[in-house]
Amino acid sequence: QKCRQYPICVSPPFTHAFSHQGNKGSRAKRTGKMIARTFLLLCVLAVSSYAFAVQQPAPFAARTTALKMTGGDALPPPVDLKPPAALYQGAVAAGAAKAAAPFGKIFKLGIVAGCHIAFGAYLAITVGGACPGIAQTNPGLQKIILGAFGLPFGLIMTLVSGAELFTGNTALVTGAVMEGKTTKSNLIKNWTASY
């Protein structure tokens, strides 16, 4: 109402989307305009980065040739990937370390992991569930948005913080027990504390 009285009034575009609950046609127009403005802004930003002469890296073959011609060192060899047996042994060692941790530490880190997963679920619901227009027109895209913001963020936060997620402990500590690196009592302690 204030913006109609004062022509110079500036307000965020999202405040108008909720001010007229009864008129659905004008709300769709405003939403369409807001999407168009956002798209236009993204296009301007994409073009402006090109205008600032951002140089693209040279292709791989040209870089190695240039390094050899100027006397520079050749590129380092690619990192060798571990074979599956070595990966399994690393997982068993990680499981043995997790099983040896005290109950209190596992319990606290289990709470942290649960909070991370809950935050990821909340993020999925608020971002992926808050797009009814996309859900009506393209339900597959809405499901992609719902899945892209939930579990991945929760798992990344859990991995970065080193929290004890029950799912990972089930796999790793069980492998350590099967290989004889820890005991079944440590397995039960770890599962109980992390659950």
Side-chain angles (χ1 to χ4, degrees):
Q1 297 295 341
K2 290 182 180 180
C3 290
R4 291 182 185 162
Q5 294 173 357
Y6 304 103
I8 304 178
C9 178
V10 177
S11 63
F14 56 83
T15 58
H16 294 293
F18 301 105
S19 61
H20 306 285
Q21 295 295 330
N23 194 349
K24 292 186 179 182
S26 63
R27 183 187 313 162
K29 276 185 187 177
R30 284 191 301 276
T31 304
K33 285 182 181 180
M34 188 167 42
I35 291 172
R37 287 178 187 159
T38 305
F39 180 71
L40 180 65
L41 177 66
L42 290 174
C43 289
V44 167
L45 289 174
V47 171
S48 66
S49 67
Y50 180 73
F52 288 113
V54 176
Q55 294 182 355
Q56 299 297 325
F60 182 72
R63 282 188 287 170
T64 56
T65 306
L67 284 173
K68 289 178 184 175
M69 292 174 73
T70 59
D73 294 333
L75 293 175
V79 177
D80 290 331
L81 296 176
K82 292 182 180 180
L87 289 174
Y88 178 71
Q89 291 305 321
V92 167
K98 286 178 177 282
F103 184 89
K105 180 180 179 183
I106 298 169
F107 183 74
K108 290 174 192 172
L109 290 175
I111 291 174
V112 170
C115 291
H116 289 159
I117 298 299
F119 178 73
Y122 176 74
L123 191 63
I125 291 169
T126 56
V127 173
C131 48
I134 295 174
Q136 289 176 353
T137 58
N138 191 349
L141 179 61
Q142 190 261 344
K143 296 296 182 188
I144 289 173
I145 293 171
L146 186 73
F149 284 99
L151 189 62
F153 282 123
L155 288 176
I156 288 170
M157 289 187 294
T158 300
L159 288 174
V160 168
S161 67
E164 297 284 340
L165 192 61
F166 177 75
T167 313
N169 287 348
T170 301
L172 297 176
V173 180
T174 303
V177 169
M178 294 297 183
E179 293 296 322
K181 303 289 183 183
T182 189
T183 62
K184 288 185 181 180
S185 62
N186 279 344
L187 173 76
I188 294 170
K189 172 193 75 170
N190 186 280
W191 283 4
T192 304
S194 65
Y195 188 75

